[in-house]
Amino acid sequence: MSTRHVVIETHLGPITIVAKGEAIAGLYFRHHVRRPPQETFGPQISDSTDALLSEAARQLCDYLAGRRRQFDLPLEAEGDSFQRAVWNIVKSIQCGGTVTYGRIAEQVGGRGLAQKVGQAVGANPLCIFVPCHRVVGSNGALTGYAGGLKRKRALLEIEEPLAGDVGRLF
């Protein structure tokens, strides 16, 4: 099956999930920075008619409701080799944790690459599924998020440890 998408309503606003073939290729908010043109998403379908998009929507809704901590979906993001290396590191950040841009830069070649890492994180077409909201500034500050800082904060709050656990994420 070709490119297609579904739009689901959430407490963070409408979210578009894009599938290409047998993999999820995009997740976008309505006012997403770097949102591709709508026509690249293929036709809008009902998630009930597409097993992959139905499962992606179900897992996303479970995550947003605090019932899921990780995703089990086939993901295929388009990007260059550096972006893919960064996104693979971002995928490994555990739910409830955060990592700085500088720490990721060290893993891909050196702290001097922090700005380039920031650009790669910002270009992530699979936000939430590839949890770029877990990447923070060097002092732990919430910086940049394609869906906006309010959404980044909301996503981190969903993941915040229960009271009595080891403190706050931010």
Side-chain angles (χ1 to χ4, degrees), residues 82 86 100-120 138:
F82 183 83
V86 169
T100 65
Y101 295 96
R103 173 72 66 181
I104 294 172
E106 288 172 356
Q107 294 177 52
V108 294
R111 254 183 122 60
L113 295 172
Q115 185 175 10
K116 189 172 178 183
V117 165
Q119 292 168 346
S138 60

mmCIF file with all atom_site columns, all heavy atoms in Angstrom, residues 82 86 100-120 138:
data_model
loop_
_atom_site.group_PDB
_atom_site.id
_atom_site.type_symbol
_atom_site.label_atom_id
_atom_site.label_alt_id
_atom_site.label_comp_id
_atom_site.label_asym_id
_atom_site.label_entity_id
_atom_site.label_seq_id
_atom_site.pdbx_PDB_ins_code
_atom_site.Cartn_x
_atom_site.Cartn_y
_atom_site.Cartn_z
_atom_site.occupancy
_atom_site.B_iso_or_equiv
_atom_site.pdbx_formal_charge
_atom_site.auth_seq_id
_atom_site.auth_comp_id
_atom_site.auth_asym_id
_atom_site.auth_atom_id
_atom_site.pdbx_PDB_model_num
ATOM 1   N N   . PHE A 1 82  ? 23.821 11.211 9.058  1.00 0.00 ? 82  PHE A N   1
ATOM 2   C CA  . PHE A 1 82  ? 24.028 11.876 10.349 1.00 0.00 ? 82  PHE A CA  1
ATOM 3   C C   . PHE A 1 82  ? 22.704 11.965 11.103 1.00 0.00 ? 82  PHE A C   1
ATOM 4   O O   . PHE A 1 82  ? 22.642 11.654 12.300 1.00 0.00 ? 82  PHE A O   1
ATOM 5   C CB  . PHE A 1 82  ? 24.633 13.270 10.155 1.00 0.00 ? 82  PHE A CB  1
ATOM 6   C CG  . PHE A 1 82  ? 24.922 13.962 11.455 1.00 0.00 ? 82  PHE A CG  1
ATOM 7   C CD1 . PHE A 1 82  ? 26.092 13.694 12.151 1.00 0.00 ? 82  PHE A CD1 1
ATOM 8   C CD2 . PHE A 1 82  ? 24.027 14.877 11.998 1.00 0.00 ? 82  PHE A CD2 1
ATOM 9   C CE1 . PHE A 1 82  ? 26.369 14.307 13.364 1.00 0.00 ? 82  PHE A CE1 1
ATOM 10  C CE2 . PHE A 1 82  ? 24.295 15.501 13.211 1.00 0.00 ? 82  PHE A CE2 1
ATOM 11  C CZ  . PHE A 1 82  ? 25.463 15.218 13.890 1.00 0.00 ? 82  PHE A CZ  1
ATOM 12  N N   . VAL A 1 86  ? 21.715 10.274 14.786 1.00 0.00 ? 86  VAL A N   1
ATOM 13  C CA  . VAL A 1 86  ? 21.157 11.038 15.912 1.00 0.00 ? 86  VAL A CA  1
ATOM 14  C C   . VAL A 1 86  ? 19.817 10.436 16.326 1.00 0.00 ? 86  VAL A C   1
ATOM 15  O O   . VAL A 1 86  ? 19.560 10.209 17.515 1.00 0.00 ? 86  VAL A O   1
ATOM 16  C CB  . VAL A 1 86  ? 21.029 12.532 15.559 1.00 0.00 ? 86  VAL A CB  1
ATOM 17  C CG1 . VAL A 1 86  ? 20.201 13.282 16.603 1.00 0.00 ? 86  VAL A CG1 1
ATOM 18  C CG2 . VAL A 1 86  ? 22.409 13.162 15.397 1.00 0.00 ? 86  VAL A CG2 1
ATOM 19  N N   . THR A 1 100 ? 21.081 15.546 26.935 1.00 0.00 ? 100 THR A N   1
ATOM 20  C CA  . THR A 1 100 ? 21.383 16.844 26.336 1.00 0.00 ? 100 THR A CA  1
ATOM 21  C C   . THR A 1 100 ? 21.862 16.691 24.897 1.00 0.00 ? 100 THR A C   1
ATOM 22  O O   . THR A 1 100 ? 22.352 15.627 24.495 1.00 0.00 ? 100 THR A O   1
ATOM 23  C CB  . THR A 1 100 ? 22.477 17.595 27.134 1.00 0.00 ? 100 THR A CB  1
ATOM 24  O OG1 . THR A 1 100 ? 23.701 16.857 27.031 1.00 0.00 ? 100 THR A OG1 1
ATOM 25  C CG2 . THR A 1 100 ? 22.082 17.778 28.602 1.00 0.00 ? 100 THR A CG2 1
ATOM 26  N N   . TYR A 1 101 ? 21.730 17.780 24.152 1.00 0.00 ? 101 TYR A N   1
ATOM 27  C CA  . TYR A 1 101 ? 22.246 17.810 22.780 1.00 0.00 ? 101 TYR A CA  1
ATOM 28  C C   . TYR A 1 101 ? 23.745 17.527 22.791 1.00 0.00 ? 101 TYR A C   1
ATOM 29  O O   . TYR A 1 101 ? 24.265 16.812 21.943 1.00 0.00 ? 101 TYR A O   1
ATOM 30  C CB  . TYR A 1 101 ? 21.978 19.178 22.140 1.00 0.00 ? 101 TYR A CB  1
ATOM 31  C CG  . TYR A 1 101 ? 20.518 19.483 21.953 1.00 0.00 ? 101 TYR A CG  1
ATOM 32  C CD1 . TYR A 1 101 ? 19.813 20.230 22.891 1.00 0.00 ? 101 TYR A CD1 1
ATOM 33  C CD2 . TYR A 1 101 ? 19.827 19.037 20.826 1.00 0.00 ? 101 TYR A CD2 1
ATOM 34  C CE1 . TYR A 1 101 ? 18.467 20.518 22.726 1.00 0.00 ? 101 TYR A CE1 1
ATOM 35  C CE2 . TYR A 1 101 ? 18.483 19.316 20.648 1.00 0.00 ? 101 TYR A CE2 1
ATOM 36  C CZ  . TYR A 1 101 ? 17.804 20.059 21.609 1.00 0.00 ? 101 TYR A CZ  1
ATOM 37  O OH  . TYR A 1 101 ? 16.476 20.323 21.441 1.00 0.00 ? 101 TYR A OH  1
ATOM 38  N N   . GLY A 1 102 ? 24.458 18.093 23.778 1.00 0.00 ? 102 GLY A N   1
ATOM 39  C CA  . GLY A 1 102 ? 25.900 17.897 23.884 1.00 0.00 ? 102 GLY A CA  1
ATOM 40  C C   . GLY A 1 102 ? 26.282 16.446 24.099 1.00 0.00 ? 102 GLY A C   1
ATOM 41  O O   . GLY A 1 102 ? 27.244 15.948 23.522 1.00 0.00 ? 102 GLY A O   1
ATOM 42  N N   . ARG A 1 103 ? 25.505 15.731 24.912 1.00 0.00 ? 103 ARG A N   1
ATOM 43  C CA  . ARG A 1 103 ? 25.781 14.315 25.167 1.00 0.00 ? 103 ARG A CA  1
ATOM 44  C C   . ARG A 1 103 ? 25.607 13.505 23.875 1.00 0.00 ? 103 ARG A C   1
ATOM 45  O O   . ARG A 1 103 ? 26.420 12.638 23.560 1.00 0.00 ? 103 ARG A O   1
ATOM 46  C CB  . ARG A 1 103 ? 24.856 13.788 26.252 1.00 0.00 ? 103 ARG A CB  1
ATOM 47  C CG  . ARG A 1 103 ? 24.928 12.300 26.492 1.00 0.00 ? 103 ARG A CG  1
ATOM 48  C CD  . ARG A 1 103 ? 26.166 11.872 27.171 1.00 0.00 ? 103 ARG A CD  1
ATOM 49  N NE  . ARG A 1 103 ? 26.149 12.442 28.513 1.00 0.00 ? 103 ARG A NE  1
ATOM 50  C CZ  . ARG A 1 103 ? 27.088 12.286 29.403 1.00 0.00 ? 103 ARG A CZ  1
ATOM 51  N NH1 . ARG A 1 103 ? 28.129 11.557 29.105 1.00 0.00 ? 103 ARG A NH1 1
ATOM 52  N NH2 . ARG A 1 103 ? 27.023 12.838 30.574 1.00 0.00 ? 103 ARG A NH2 1
ATOM 53  N N   . ILE A 1 104 ? 24.564 13.819 23.110 1.00 0.00 ? 104 ILE A N   1
ATOM 54  C CA  . ILE A 1 104 ? 24.372 13.132 21.831 1.00 0.00 ? 104 ILE A CA  1
ATOM 55  C C   . ILE A 1 104 ? 25.519 13.477 20.885 1.00 0.00 ? 104 ILE A C   1
ATOM 56  O O   . ILE A 1 104 ? 26.048 12.606 20.196 1.00 0.00 ? 104 ILE A O   1
ATOM 57  C CB  . ILE A 1 104 ? 23.004 13.486 21.213 1.00 0.00 ? 104 ILE A CB  1
ATOM 58  C CG1 . ILE A 1 104 ? 21.872 12.934 22.096 1.00 0.00 ? 104 ILE A CG1 1
ATOM 59  C CG2 . ILE A 1 104 ? 22.887 12.927 19.789 1.00 0.00 ? 104 ILE A CG2 1
ATOM 60  C CD1 . ILE A 1 104 ? 20.480 13.388 21.698 1.00 0.00 ? 104 ILE A CD1 1
ATOM 61  N N   . ALA A 1 105 ? 25.931 14.746 20.879 1.00 0.00 ? 105 ALA A N   1
ATOM 62  C CA  . ALA A 1 105 ? 27.042 15.172 20.017 1.00 0.00 ? 105 ALA A CA  1
ATOM 63  C C   . ALA A 1 105 ? 28.307 14.372 20.329 1.00 0.00 ? 105 ALA A C   1
ATOM 64  O O   . ALA A 1 105 ? 29.023 13.952 19.423 1.00 0.00 ? 105 ALA A O   1
ATOM 65  C CB  . ALA A 1 105 ? 27.294 16.667 20.174 1.00 0.00 ? 105 ALA A CB  1
ATOM 66  N N   . GLU A 1 106 ? 28.567 14.149 21.618 1.00 0.00 ? 106 GLU A N   1
ATOM 67  C CA  . GLU A 1 106 ? 29.738 13.350 22.011 1.00 0.00 ? 106 GLU A CA  1
ATOM 68  C C   . GLU A 1 106 ? 29.657 11.944 21.417 1.00 0.00 ? 106 GLU A C   1
ATOM 69  O O   . GLU A 1 106 ? 30.672 11.373 21.021 1.00 0.00 ? 106 GLU A O   1
ATOM 70  C CB  . GLU A 1 106 ? 29.829 13.258 23.531 1.00 0.00 ? 106 GLU A CB  1
ATOM 71  C CG  . GLU A 1 106 ? 30.241 14.549 24.196 1.00 0.00 ? 106 GLU A CG  1
ATOM 72  C CD  . GLU A 1 106 ? 30.130 14.506 25.718 1.00 0.00 ? 106 GLU A CD  1
ATOM 73  O OE1 . GLU A 1 106 ? 29.655 13.490 26.272 1.00 0.00 ? 106 GLU A OE1 1
ATOM 74  O OE2 . GLU A 1 106 ? 30.503 15.507 26.350 1.00 0.00 ? 106 GLU A OE2 1
ATOM 75  N N   . GLN A 1 107 ? 28.472 11.408 21.337 1.00 0.00 ? 107 GLN A N   1
ATOM 76  C CA  . GLN A 1 107 ? 28.292 10.042 20.826 1.00 0.00 ? 107 GLN A CA  1
ATOM 77  C C   . GLN A 1 107 ? 28.436 9.953  19.314 1.00 0.00 ? 107 GLN A C   1
ATOM 78  O O   . GLN A 1 107 ? 28.741 8.884  18.783 1.00 0.00 ? 107 GLN A O   1
ATOM 79  C CB  . GLN A 1 107 ? 26.929 9.493  21.247 1.00 0.00 ? 107 GLN A CB  1
ATOM 80  C CG  . GLN A 1 107 ? 26.806 9.301  22.749 1.00 0.00 ? 107 GLN A CG  1
ATOM 81  C CD  . GLN A 1 107 ? 25.419 8.828  23.139 1.00 0.00 ? 107 GLN A CD  1
ATOM 82  O OE1 . GLN A 1 107 ? 24.918 7.848  22.588 1.00 0.00 ? 107 GLN A OE1 1
ATOM 83  N NE2 . GLN A 1 107 ? 24.799 9.523  24.065 1.00 0.00 ? 107 GLN A NE2 1
ATOM 84  N N   . VAL A 1 108 ? 28.217 11.076 18.616 1.00 0.00 ? 108 VAL A N   1
ATOM 85  C CA  . VAL A 1 108 ? 28.296 11.043 17.148 1.00 0.00 ? 108 VAL A CA  1
ATOM 86  C C   . VAL A 1 108 ? 29.539 11.723 16.594 1.00 0.00 ? 108 VAL A C   1
ATOM 87  O O   . VAL A 1 108 ? 29.644 11.877 15.380 1.00 0.00 ? 108 VAL A O   1
ATOM 88  C CB  . VAL A 1 108 ? 27.022 11.633 16.479 1.00 0.00 ? 108 VAL A CB  1
ATOM 89  C CG1 . VAL A 1 108 ? 25.809 10.772 16.756 1.00 0.00 ? 108 VAL A CG1 1
ATOM 90  C CG2 . VAL A 1 108 ? 26.803 13.077 16.871 1.00 0.00 ? 108 VAL A CG2 1
ATOM 91  N N   . GLY A 1 109 ? 30.450 12.144 17.455 1.00 0.00 ? 109 GLY A N   1
ATOM 92  C CA  . GLY A 1 109 ? 31.676 12.700 16.914 1.00 0.00 ? 109 GLY A CA  1
ATOM 93  C C   . GLY A 1 109 ? 32.315 13.834 17.675 1.00 0.00 ? 109 GLY A C   1
ATOM 94  O O   . GLY A 1 109 ? 33.408 14.251 17.337 1.00 0.00 ? 109 GLY A O   1
ATOM 95  N N   . GLY A 1 110 ? 31.682 14.374 18.676 1.00 0.00 ? 110 GLY A N   1
ATOM 96  C CA  . GLY A 1 110 ? 32.312 15.428 19.456 1.00 0.00 ? 110 GLY A CA  1
ATOM 97  C C   . GLY A 1 110 ? 31.349 16.540 19.824 1.00 0.00 ? 110 GLY A C   1
ATOM 98  O O   . GLY A 1 110 ? 30.404 16.838 19.101 1.00 0.00 ? 110 GLY A O   1
ATOM 99  N N   . ARG A 1 111 ? 31.633 17.163 20.968 1.00 0.00 ? 111 ARG A N   1
ATOM 100 C CA  . ARG A 1 111 ? 30.760 18.212 21.489 1.00 0.00 ? 111 ARG A CA  1
ATOM 101 C C   . ARG A 1 111 ? 30.561 19.368 20.522 1.00 0.00 ? 111 ARG A C   1
ATOM 102 O O   . ARG A 1 111 ? 29.532 20.036 20.558 1.00 0.00 ? 111 ARG A O   1
ATOM 103 C CB  . ARG A 1 111 ? 31.318 18.754 22.804 1.00 0.00 ? 111 ARG A CB  1
ATOM 104 C CG  . ARG A 1 111 ? 30.485 18.240 23.947 1.00 0.00 ? 111 ARG A CG  1
ATOM 105 C CD  . ARG A 1 111 ? 30.891 18.750 25.274 1.00 0.00 ? 111 ARG A CD  1
ATOM 106 N NE  . ARG A 1 111 ? 29.896 19.454 26.031 1.00 0.00 ? 111 ARG A NE  1
ATOM 107 C CZ  . ARG A 1 111 ? 28.736 18.971 26.426 1.00 0.00 ? 111 ARG A CZ  1
ATOM 108 N NH1 . ARG A 1 111 ? 28.365 17.779 26.057 1.00 0.00 ? 111 ARG A NH1 1
ATOM 109 N NH2 . ARG A 1 111 ? 27.934 19.689 27.169 1.00 0.00 ? 111 ARG A NH2 1
ATOM 110 N N   . GLY A 1 112 ? 31.502 19.586 19.639 1.00 0.00 ? 112 GLY A N   1
ATOM 111 C CA  . GLY A 1 112 ? 31.382 20.657 18.653 1.00 0.00 ? 112 GLY A CA  1
ATOM 112 C C   . GLY A 1 112 ? 30.237 20.451 17.676 1.00 0.00 ? 112 GLY A C   1
ATOM 113 O O   . GLY A 1 112 ? 29.889 21.358 16.924 1.00 0.00 ? 112 GLY A O   1
ATOM 114 N N   . LEU A 1 113 ? 29.658 19.274 17.684 1.00 0.00 ? 113 LEU A N   1
ATOM 115 C CA  . LEU A 1 113 ? 28.550 18.970 16.782 1.00 0.00 ? 113 LEU A CA  1
ATOM 116 C C   . LEU A 1 113 ? 27.183 19.223 17.415 1.00 0.00 ? 113 LEU A C   1
ATOM 117 O O   . LEU A 1 113 ? 26.165 18.876 16.824 1.00 0.00 ? 113 LEU A O   1
ATOM 118 C CB  . LEU A 1 113 ? 28.635 17.510 16.322 1.00 0.00 ? 113 LEU A CB  1
ATOM 119 C CG  . LEU A 1 113 ? 29.853 17.149 15.475 1.00 0.00 ? 113 LEU A CG  1
ATOM 120 C CD1 . LEU A 1 113 ? 29.912 15.646 15.249 1.00 0.00 ? 113 LEU A CD1 1
ATOM 121 C CD2 . LEU A 1 113 ? 29.796 17.894 14.149 1.00 0.00 ? 113 LEU A CD2 1
ATOM 122 N N   . ALA A 1 114 ? 27.141 19.828 18.585 1.00 0.00 ? 114 ALA A N   1
ATOM 123 C CA  . ALA A 1 114 ? 25.870 20.011 19.301 1.00 0.00 ? 114 ALA A CA  1
ATOM 124 C C   . ALA A 1 114 ? 24.838 20.773 18.465 1.00 0.00 ? 114 ALA A C   1
ATOM 125 O O   . ALA A 1 114 ? 23.658 20.409 18.443 1.00 0.00 ? 114 ALA A O   1
ATOM 126 C CB  . ALA A 1 114 ? 26.097 20.713 20.637 1.00 0.00 ? 114 ALA A CB  1
ATOM 127 N N   . GLN A 1 115 ? 25.265 21.803 17.759 1.00 0.00 ? 115 GLN A N   1
ATOM 128 C CA  . GLN A 1 115 ? 24.321 22.568 16.930 1.00 0.00 ? 115 GLN A CA  1
ATOM 129 C C   . GLN A 1 115 ? 23.788 21.698 15.787 1.00 0.00 ? 115 GLN A C   1
ATOM 130 O O   . GLN A 1 115 ? 22.596 21.698 15.491 1.00 0.00 ? 115 GLN A O   1
ATOM 131 C CB  . GLN A 1 115 ? 24.964 23.828 16.382 1.00 0.00 ? 115 GLN A CB  1
ATOM 132 C CG  . GLN A 1 115 ? 23.966 24.690 15.626 1.00 0.00 ? 115 GLN A CG  1
ATOM 133 C CD  . GLN A 1 115 ? 24.566 26.013 15.187 1.00 0.00 ? 115 GLN A CD  1
ATOM 134 O OE1 . GLN A 1 115 ? 25.780 26.234 15.279 1.00 0.00 ? 115 GLN A OE1 1
ATOM 135 N NE2 . GLN A 1 115 ? 23.730 26.911 14.708 1.00 0.00 ? 115 GLN A NE2 1
ATOM 136 N N   . LYS A 1 116 ? 24.670 20.925 15.169 1.00 0.00 ? 116 LYS A N   1
ATOM 137 C CA  . LYS A 1 116 ? 24.242 20.031 14.089 1.00 0.00 ? 116 LYS A CA  1
ATOM 138 C C   . LYS A 1 116 ? 23.295 18.957 14.634 1.00 0.00 ? 116 LYS A C   1
ATOM 139 O O   . LYS A 1 116 ? 22.325 18.572 13.975 1.00 0.00 ? 116 LYS A O   1
ATOM 140 C CB  . LYS A 1 116 ? 25.463 19.395 13.414 1.00 0.00 ? 116 LYS A CB  1
ATOM 141 C CG  . LYS A 1 116 ? 25.132 18.638 12.159 1.00 0.00 ? 116 LYS A CG  1
ATOM 142 C CD  . LYS A 1 116 ? 26.387 18.189 11.427 1.00 0.00 ? 116 LYS A CD  1
ATOM 143 C CE  . LYS A 1 116 ? 25.992 17.385 10.186 1.00 0.00 ? 116 LYS A CE  1
ATOM 144 N NZ  . LYS A 1 116 ? 27.137 16.855 9.476  1.00 0.00 ? 116 LYS A NZ  1
ATOM 145 N N   . VAL A 1 117 ? 23.558 18.488 15.855 1.00 0.00 ? 117 VAL A N   1
ATOM 146 C CA  . VAL A 1 117 ? 22.661 17.534 16.508 1.00 0.00 ? 117 VAL A CA  1
ATOM 147 C C   . VAL A 1 117 ? 21.297 18.184 16.712 1.00 0.00 ? 117 VAL A C   1
ATOM 148 O O   . VAL A 1 117 ? 20.258 17.574 16.449 1.00 0.00 ? 117 VAL A O   1
ATOM 149 C CB  . VAL A 1 117 ? 23.246 17.042 17.849 1.00 0.00 ? 117 VAL A CB  1
ATOM 150 C CG1 . VAL A 1 117 ? 22.184 16.352 18.701 1.00 0.00 ? 117 VAL A CG1 1
ATOM 151 C CG2 . VAL A 1 117 ? 24.421 16.115 17.602 1.00 0.00 ? 117 VAL A CG2 1
ATOM 152 N N   . GLY A 1 118 ? 21.292 19.437 17.157 1.00 0.00 ? 118 GLY A N   1
ATOM 153 C CA  . GLY A 1 118 ? 20.032 20.158 17.344 1.00 0.00 ? 118 GLY A CA  1
ATOM 154 C C   . GLY A 1 118 ? 19.233 20.245 16.058 1.00 0.00 ? 118 GLY A C   1
ATOM 155 O O   . GLY A 1 118 ? 18.006 20.082 16.054 1.00 0.00 ? 118 GLY A O   1
ATOM 156 N N   . GLN A 1 119 ? 19.919 20.478 14.950 1.00 0.00 ? 119 GLN A N   1
ATOM 157 C CA  . GLN A 1 119 ? 19.240 20.537 13.653 1.00 0.00 ? 119 GLN A CA  1
ATOM 158 C C   . GLN A 1 119 ? 18.663 19.168 13.278 1.00 0.00 ? 119 GLN A C   1
ATOM 159 O O   . GLN A 1 119 ? 17.552 19.076 12.761 1.00 0.00 ? 119 GLN A O   1
ATOM 160 C CB  . GLN A 1 119 ? 20.204 21.033 12.578 1.00 0.00 ? 119 GLN A CB  1
ATOM 161 C CG  . GLN A 1 119 ? 20.599 22.482 12.762 1.00 0.00 ? 119 GLN A CG  1
ATOM 162 C CD  . GLN A 1 119 ? 21.769 22.903 11.891 1.00 0.00 ? 119 GLN A CD  1
ATOM 163 O OE1 . GLN A 1 119 ? 22.479 22.068 11.326 1.00 0.00 ? 119 GLN A OE1 1
ATOM 164 N NE2 . GLN A 1 119 ? 21.987 24.206 11.793 1.00 0.00 ? 119 GLN A NE2 1
ATOM 165 N N   . ALA A 1 120 ? 19.410 18.117 13.550 1.00 0.00 ? 120 ALA A N   1
ATOM 166 C CA  . ALA A 1 120 ? 18.923 16.766 13.242 1.00 0.00 ? 120 ALA A CA  1
ATOM 167 C C   . ALA A 1 120 ? 17.723 16.417 14.110 1.00 0.00 ? 120 ALA A C   1
ATOM 168 O O   . ALA A 1 120 ? 16.733 15.868 13.626 1.00 0.00 ? 120 ALA A O   1
ATOM 169 C CB  . ALA A 1 120 ? 20.042 15.740 13.434 1.00 0.00 ? 120 ALA A CB  1
ATOM 170 N N   . SER A 1 138 ? 21.879 22.101 27.681 1.00 0.00 ? 138 SER A N   1
ATOM 171 C CA  . SER A 1 138 ? 22.992 21.676 28.536 1.00 0.00 ? 138 SER A CA  1
ATOM 172 C C   . SER A 1 138 ? 22.707 21.863 30.021 1.00 0.00 ? 138 SER A C   1
ATOM 173 O O   . SER A 1 138 ? 23.235 21.136 30.852 1.00 0.00 ? 138 SER A O   1
ATOM 174 C CB  . SER A 1 138 ? 24.271 22.417 28.155 1.00 0.00 ? 138 SER A CB  1
ATOM 175 O OG  . SER A 1 138 ? 24.084 23.809 28.322 1.00 0.00 ? 138 SER A OG  1
#
